[in-house]
Amino acid sequence: MGITAIYPGSFDPVTMGHVDIARRAAAIFDRVILAVYDTPAKSLVFTTPERVAMATRAVSDAPNISVRSFSGLLVGFAREVEAKVIVRGLRAVSDFEVETQMALMNRKLAPEIEVVCLVTSLNYSFLSASLIKEIIKLGGPSEGLVPDFVAEALQHKLARKGEVAPVPRWLTG
Ligand code: ADP
């Protein structure tokens, strides 16, 4: 038995900020399911299988973290996998507003499931998936912010869309 927590999000793509939250949750709960939302209300760079594959690789060394995709209501998926807890990450006051609203709605829908927010680690407080996409699009460095294979995948994706700027001189020396 034990407590299962789900950590839902778009993960487009997974960043070290996400990995940090997933690992910290895995130190508290018996198992963590990183739940990749199939159809978020935002435009995606990666397909669902791609987002799942990258997240799976990013947490592959953590035995009690698994990755699954889901569609439909989050609380529906939480009930399906018998999760008692939904984990979310908090970076700034702006996150707080969104997360509070979502947590209250989820509690209305499923009062038996508790939402637990973990505060970001300082190193990742400024990090978001959309910012990473912007940095890579503009040819900037992303070391320590996303796994290397994520940076590579983003470069390929954005290049195929004709969006990657040439690598600047200062970067190549
Ligand atoms: P969303 O669910 O809005 O699509 P994401 O997939 O980007 O969000 O992120 C999923 C969860 O991880 C959210 O709770 C978000 O606040 C949190 N998160 C994202 N980046 C970080 C970070 N750098 N540090 C801590 N938490 C983060």
Side-chain angles (χ1 to χ4, degrees):
M1 268 300 283
I3 298 179
T4 300
I6 57 172
Y7 175 35
S10 313
F11 304 104
D12 183 51
V14 69
T15 69
M16 297 311 279
H18 294 134
V19 172
D20 176 61
I21 295 288
R23 283 188 202 284
R24 286 166 50 202
I28 304 173
F29 303 109
D30 297 288
R31 68 197 79 74
V32 172
I33 301 173
L34 190 155
V36 177
Y37 186 36
D38 203 8
T39 46
K42 44 176 147 181
S43 65
L44 296 168
V45 169
F46 292 100
T47 65
T48 301
E50 287 168 342
R51 287 179 288 140
V52 168
M54 285 186 288
T56 304
R57 197 162 157 190
V59 297
S60 59
D61 59 339
N64 62 336
I65 307 179
S66 57
V67 179
R68 285 186 54 181
S69 64
F70 74 101
S71 49
L73 272 184
L74 173 61
V75 292
F77 180 67
R79 281 175 172 156
E80 185 189 317
V81 296
E82 296 181 358
K84 288 234 167 1
V85 175
I86 294 170
V87 172
R88 297 284 289 174
L90 282 184
R91 284 158 297 187
V93 180
S94 51
D95 276 351
F96 180 83
E97 279 181 35
V98 179
E99 297 301 336
T100 309
Q101 189 185 22
M102 214 148 46
L104 290 171
M105 180 52 88
N106 280 331
R107 185 176 312 144
K108 173 103 184 130
L109 297 172
E112 79 280 12
I113 298 171
E114 204 57 69
V115 176
V116 172
C117 289
L118 299 181
V119 174
T120 181
S121 299
L122 214 49
N123 285 350
Y124 307 125
S125 56
F126 53 87
L127 175 57
S128 71
S130 47
L131 210 49
I132 277 295
K133 286 183 265 198
E134 204 58 31
I135 290 169
I136 290 190
K137 200 193 287 184
L138 298 172
S142 59
E143 281 83 26
L145 303 179
V146 289
D148 288 349
F149 60 85
V150 169
E152 233 170 81
L154 258 176
Q155 275 155 1
H156 278 285
K157 262 292 176 189
L158 297 174
R160 236 188 306 145
K161 285 188 175 170
E163 286 180 358
V164 161
V167 176
R169 280 259 188 88
W170 62 262
L171 191 60
T172 50

